[in-house]
């Protein structure tokens, strides 16, 4: 067990789970190895794994993985032979998690080893070459529960089993090339509330992970909801750290290398606040990350935060002082119904939003009272009874409801502005 694991500093490192869109998110989707659609000659793997599990044990998926299954298959050491990794939880869960390492053996598979995990939950599982030897390492983020700190273990595969290369507590971690030296580095964010918080960038050298630099952060935040790496301004690679601050506010701090040292975009006492955590990313495809900041629509200033129909405006850091004065674009994100609406820039922010009580309707009205778009969320049975119809177009769906756009001469211009939230994961 991690020596950390159980100094897991009960409730000291509280890290919030990634928000709705998964937007979790926070790791490169290509870094996750997905459960393959195994052809018949590999179907034996699934059966072998099931047969090897103790009675009552069940396979475990990482909380933050975008993979669809629990079996991770890849050629870890690039020798042409596939390996497979799974984690399981025993019936009584007394020992915590157990990992299993398998290797392809002709037309079948053989188990190389079982190893003890370092927690009771698997928070994150990532496969990257962080030891810089051309092979994939396994980065497993373990947790003891939602109010307990997390521990990261970096495993190296030697062809037969895993060896531990690094163990450290964390709130979030990121694999990137933050200092732009053409070698991957590992950034580890830690938080001990009201005591200490910092981001440390490590790089593998001289047989171990060496700290490149550390920057001290505000330890008085409630917790971190996400950490995301990307270009945060022209020529500046950085990490956007979203934190909860107080009961009804959040902030985004940006950290980057400047002349070889980690630097914060904003002093701790002057990090721009926003009403709640929102997503960050390069959603307009220009190569530079935008920072999401929610705002209330015009006329909704007195609405309770819990029921506010938020507009998410996206800003860019100017590389010097702060965020741009005007948003690059705005979205209405219907998280419950699985889609978002790209508010047309041609509206120039001159619109109102209506939500008639108990009707399941959202209506955007343009200047001069011109109807913009209107959609309605209804039970699936109601939608099925309406079919076929040329007056409505489905734009969102859940297990029990369908959301449909009312098609008018004006709204038909914007049918391409409705997109599934799942697309933000790609």
């Amino acid at each position: 067990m991690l020596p950390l694991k159980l100094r897991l500093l009960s409730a000291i490192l509280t890290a919030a789970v990634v928000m709705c869109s998964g937007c979790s998110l926070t790791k490169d989707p290509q870094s996750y190895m997905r459960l393959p659609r195994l052809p018949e000659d590999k179907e034996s793997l699934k059966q072998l794994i099931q047969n090897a599990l103790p009675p009552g044990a069940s396979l475990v998926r990482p909380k933050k993985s975008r993979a669809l299954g629990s079996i991770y298959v890849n050629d870890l050491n690039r020798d042409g032979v596939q390996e497979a990794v799974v984690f399981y939880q025993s019936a009584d869960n007394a020992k915590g998690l157990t990992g299993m390492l398998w290797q392809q053996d002709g037309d079948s598979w053989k188990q190389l080893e079982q190893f003890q995990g370092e927690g009771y939950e698997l928070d994150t599982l990532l496969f990257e070459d962080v030891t810089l030897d051309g092979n994939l390492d396994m980065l497993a983020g373990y947790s003891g529960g939602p109010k307990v700190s997390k521990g990261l273990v970096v495993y190296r595969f030697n062809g037969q089993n895993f060896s531990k290369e690094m163990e450290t507590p964390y709130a979030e971690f990121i694999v990137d090339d933050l200092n732009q030296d053409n070698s991957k580095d590992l950034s580890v964010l830690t938080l001990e509330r009201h005591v200490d918080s910092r981001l440390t960038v490590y790089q593998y050298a001289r047989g171990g992970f060496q700290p490149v630099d550390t920057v001290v952060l505000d330890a008085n935040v409630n917790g971190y909801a996400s950490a995301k790496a990307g270009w945060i301004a022209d020529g500046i690679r950085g990490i956007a750290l979203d934190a909860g601050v107080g009961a009804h506010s959040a902030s985004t701090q940006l950290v980057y290398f400047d002349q070889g040292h980690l630097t914060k975009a904003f002093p701790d006492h002057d990090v721009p606040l926003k009403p709640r955590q929102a997503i960050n990313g390069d959603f307009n495809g220009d190569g530079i990350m935008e920072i999401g900041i929610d705002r209330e629509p015009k006329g909704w200033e007195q609405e309770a935060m819990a029921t506010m129909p938020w507009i998410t405006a996206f800003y860019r850091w100017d590389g010097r002082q702060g965020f741009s004065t005007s948003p690059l674009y705005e979205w209405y994100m219907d998280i419950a119904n699985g889609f978002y609406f790209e508010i047309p820039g041609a509206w120039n922010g001159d619109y109102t939003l209506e939500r008639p009580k108990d009707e399941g309707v959202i209506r955007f009205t343009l200047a001069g009272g011109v109807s913009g778009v209107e959609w309605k969320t209804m039970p699936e049975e109601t939608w099925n009874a309406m079919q076929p119809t040329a007056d409505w177009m489905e734009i969102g769906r859940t297990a029990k409801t369908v959301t449909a756009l009312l098609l008018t001469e004006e709204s038909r211009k914007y049918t391409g502005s409705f997109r599934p939230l799942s697309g933000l994961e790609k």
Side-chain angles (χ1 to χ4, degrees):
M1 293 286 182
L2 258 185
L4 341 141
K5 168 179 135 190
L6 299 136
R7 297 181 318 216
L8 271 177
L9 305 174
S10 292
I12 290 181
L13 285 183
T14 304
V17 178
V18 151
M19 2 178 318
C20 83
S21 61
C23 338
S24 86
L25 10 204
T26 60
K27 314 294 187 299
D28 179 356
Q30 299 304 317
S31 301
Y32 289 93
M33 294 187 291
R34 302 176 182 274
L35 173 66
R37 298 185 180 216
L38 295 176
E40 286 187 13
D41 63 341
K42 292 185 181 178
E43 270 299 314
S44 60
L45 171 60
K46 291 195 287 187
Q47 190 59 53
L48 288 168
I49 290 172
Q50 290 294 334
N51 291 342
L53 293 177
S58 57
L59 296 182
V60 173
R61 287 185 62 239
K63 287 174 159 183
K64 295 182 183 177
S65 174
R66 300 183 179 101
L68 299 178
S70 304
I71 305 173
Y72 298 80
V73 179
N74 209 302
D75 179 4
L76 296 180
N77 58 347
R78 310 305 197 193
D79 64 352
V81 178
Q82 299 278 335
E83 282 77 39
V85 176
V86 296
F87 285 85
Y88 71 83
Q89 191 174 72
S90 60
D92 60 6
N93 197 29
K95 296 192 308 181
L97 299 179
T98 301
M100 301 171 73
L101 174 63
W102 295 75
Q103 189 174 68
Q104 196 169 19
D105 185 16
D107 293 335
S108 187
W109 294 78
K110 62 183 179 182
Q111 186 180 160
L112 296 182
E113 71 164 336
Q114 292 199 34
F115 56 95
Q116 185 62 49
E118 304 298 345
Y120 294 88
E121 295 179 357
L122 189 59
D123 180 73
T124 304
L125 191 63
L126 190 65
F127 293 84
E128 288 274 11
D129 177 17
V130 289
T131 56
L132 309 179
D133 61 357
N135 301 326
L136 291 174
D137 307 297
M138 181 172 72
L139 295 85
Y142 297 102
S143 174
K147 294 186 177 181
V148 183
S149 68
K150 299 185 289 189
L152 169 65
V153 182
V154 180
Y155 299 89
R156 194 172 191 173
F157 179 58
N158 66 7
Q160 292 297 316
N161 51 47
F162 283 126
S163 61
K164 294 179 183 179
E165 291 290 324
M166 182 183 189
E167 303 176 48
T168 182
Y170 80 101
E172 297 287 343
F173 70 88
I174 288 178
V175 176
D176 199 71
D177 180 11
L178 204 62
N179 61 356
Q180 292 297 284
D181 66 347
N182 297 315
S183 295
K184 287 184 178 178
D185 43 48
L186 173 61
S187 298
V188 179
L189 172 67
T190 58
L191 170 64
E192 185 178 351
R193 285 194 66 201
H194 307 304
V195 177
D196 182 74
S197 181
R198 59 189 62 220
L199 181 79
T200 302
V201 177
Y202 297 91
Q203 202 158 49
Y204 198 81
R206 300 185 299 279
F209 284 94
Q210 309 297 328
V212 178
D213 201 14
T214 297
V215 63
V216 176
L217 302 169
D218 184 2
N220 295 310
V221 299
N222 293 343
Y224 288 96
S226 69
K228 188 163 190 174
W231 297 102
I232 57 174
D234 286 327
I236 301 178
R237 188 85 182 167
I239 295 178
L241 301 172
D242 258 30
V245 182
H248 298 294
S249 60
S251 66
T252 300
Q253 177 65 277
L254 303 174
V255 178
Y256 61 99
F257 274 98
D258 183 21
Q259 298 183 3
H261 295 286
L262 282 175
T263 304
K264 294 179 286 192
F266 307 105
D268 289 342
H269 66 275
D270 199 26
V271 181
L273 294 178
K274 49 190 182 182
R276 64 174 194 164
Q277 289 154 354
I279 63 173
N280 310 314
D282 176 23
F283 302 119
N284 65 356
D286 65 357
I288 298 176
M289 191 186 308
E290 294 87 50
I291 306 301
I293 300 177
D294 287 344
R295 66 169 181 83
E296 64 271 1
K298 295 176 184 176
W300 287 81
E301 291 79 7
Q302 303 306 313
E303 182 76 10
M305 292 191 67
T307 56
M308 180 74 71
W310 296 101
I311 301 295
T312 303
F314 291 90
Y315 296 81
R316 180 180 297 160
W317 181 51
D318 63 12
R320 298 180 302 279
Q321 300 298 319
F323 296 125
S324 50
T325 54
S326 300
L328 280 69
Y329 52 95
E330 294 184 330
W331 292 354
Y332 179 89
M333 300 183 68
D334 195 329
I335 294 169
N337 294 303
F339 70 93
Y340 64 98
F341 171 52
E342 297 178 336
I343 298 173
W347 291 2
N348 294 316
D350 193 6
Y351 57 82
T352 58
L353 185 153
E354 300 171 63
R355 187 179 61 191
K357 187 176 181 181
D358 300 328
E359 293 183 19
V361 169
I362 294 290
R363 182 181 300 124
F364 282 83
T365 303
L366 310 185
V370 176
S371 175
V373 295
E374 176 180 325
W375 62 81
K376 180 178 178 65
T377 300
M378 64 196 82
E380 185 179 22
E381 296 79 12
T382 304
W383 172 248
N384 291 338
M386 291 171 56
Q387 298 301 312
T389 176
D391 297 329
W392 296 86
M393 183 185 82
E394 180 180 325
I395 55 175
R397 180 180 286 266
T398 69
K400 296 182 179 180
T401 65
V402 173
T403 302
L405 173 69
L406 177 62
L407 294 173
T408 65
E409 182 178 355
E410 182 69 18
S411 71
R412 289 177 191 275
K413 302 175 186 176
Y414 309 117
T415 55
S417 298
F418 292 88
R419 303 178 185 276
L421 287 171
S422 59
L424 300 178
E425 298 293 330
K426 298 178 174 60

